[in-house]
Amino acid sequence: MPVIAKAPFFKPRMPRTNQPWSIIMTNAGSLGWVSDVNGYRYQAAHPETGETWPPLPNILQAAWTDLTGLDVPAECCLINLYQGQRAKMGLHQDRDEIDKSFPVLSFSLGDSARFRVGGKTRKGPTQSVKLNSGDVVILQGESRLSFHGIDRIMPDSSQLIGDYIEGGGRINLTLRRVNPA
Ligand code: MD6
Ligand code: FE
């Protein structure tokens, strides 16, 4: 069964303000990343269904192994869905992992996006990179804690997602190891 049939997309909300994000998300793996009024965290259960997340698909675990060269498996695949003109993700660091020494690996599918990446502080120069369907990003070593975000997507630049999800859009799959090996 597809991951999104067992773990439906949910609307994350911002810590403290409870403002909804412009994207929707779900997860696969032993841990899922969630955001709500109480903060950002990893948890074993879907926030709405209470069920554990579906297993991380073998093809993604194999890609993690091949691309990172690690023998320790990923624990989380965060699935972000961007739809419409306004979907974006603010500049952030991936730093909720207990062990931050592992790479973070992502796959972009569907519509193209403007990815912004800077350095280890929020201020300072950033670069804009266009991510197309099939592109892979890996943050590791010096770049592991780089600030990054999605300025905007380019609606209807790909038809891929529309074959599976009403309205199409862009999916980013982010694979992470949370705990020490
Ligand atoms: C996105 N990506 O592409 C958001 N984080 O929609 C991320 O936040 C990200 O692509 C860590 C490593 C790679 C990423
Ligand atoms: Fe990120």
Side-chain angles (χ1 to χ4, degrees):
M1 187 171 41
V3 167
I4 59 172
K6 192 184 172 231
F9 285 103
F10 63 94
K11 189 100 187 158
R13 290 178 169 270
M14 293 299 294
R16 295 185 303 279
T17 64
N18 208 31
Q19 279 291 111
W21 292 49
S22 62
I23 63 170
I24 53 177
M25 59 180 58
T26 188
N27 291 272
S30 54
L31 289 171
W33 188 89
V34 302
S35 173
D36 66 18
V37 68
N38 297 314
Y40 305 136
R41 65 191 171 276
Y42 286 96
Q43 62 182 46
H46 189 290
E48 291 174 357
T49 69
E51 304 262 353
T52 56
W53 306 104
L56 212 154
N58 290 335
I59 191 171
L60 293 176
Q61 198 64 263
W64 165 269
T65 302
D66 287 353
L67 293 167
T68 65
L70 295 170
D71 53 16
V72 45
E75 294 175 292
C76 173
C77 177
L78 173 64
I79 303 165
N80 289 146
L81 175 62
Y82 298 71
Q83 290 187 303
Q85 308 272 350
R86 287 169 151 66
K88 60 186 169 65
M89 185 180 291
L91 214 58
H92 67 276
Q93 289 172 302
D94 284 34
R95 60 172 190 202
D96 299 321
E97 300 68 42
I98 293 165
D99 188 332
K100 297 171 185 58
S101 68
F102 295 104
V104 182
L105 175 65
S106 88
F107 301 92
S108 292
L109 297 170
D111 289 341
S112 299
R114 275 277 152 211
F115 183 74
R116 185 165 295 280
V117 59
K120 277 178 255 187
T121 59
R122 183 174 287 280
K123 47 188 186 179
T126 60
Q127 281 181 276
S128 173
V129 181
K130 187 181 179 193
L131 293 182
N132 296 318
S133 192
D135 283 349
V136 175
V137 172
I138 186 159
L139 297 183
Q140 63 183 346
E142 274 289 287
S143 68
R144 173 65 180 77
L145 291 173
S146 292
F147 276 86
H148 60 278
I150 295 291
D151 290 345
R152 61 185 185 88
I153 68 165
M154 296 156 197
D156 303 315
S157 52
S158 164
Q159 300 309 307
L160 179 70
I161 300 302
D163 287 351
Y164 306 94
I165 297 170
E166 175 86 31
R170 171 177 185 264
I171 282 184
N172 184 260
L173 305 172
T174 308
L175 275 70
R176 302 194 194 89
R177 177 79 198 185
V178 177
N179 293 115

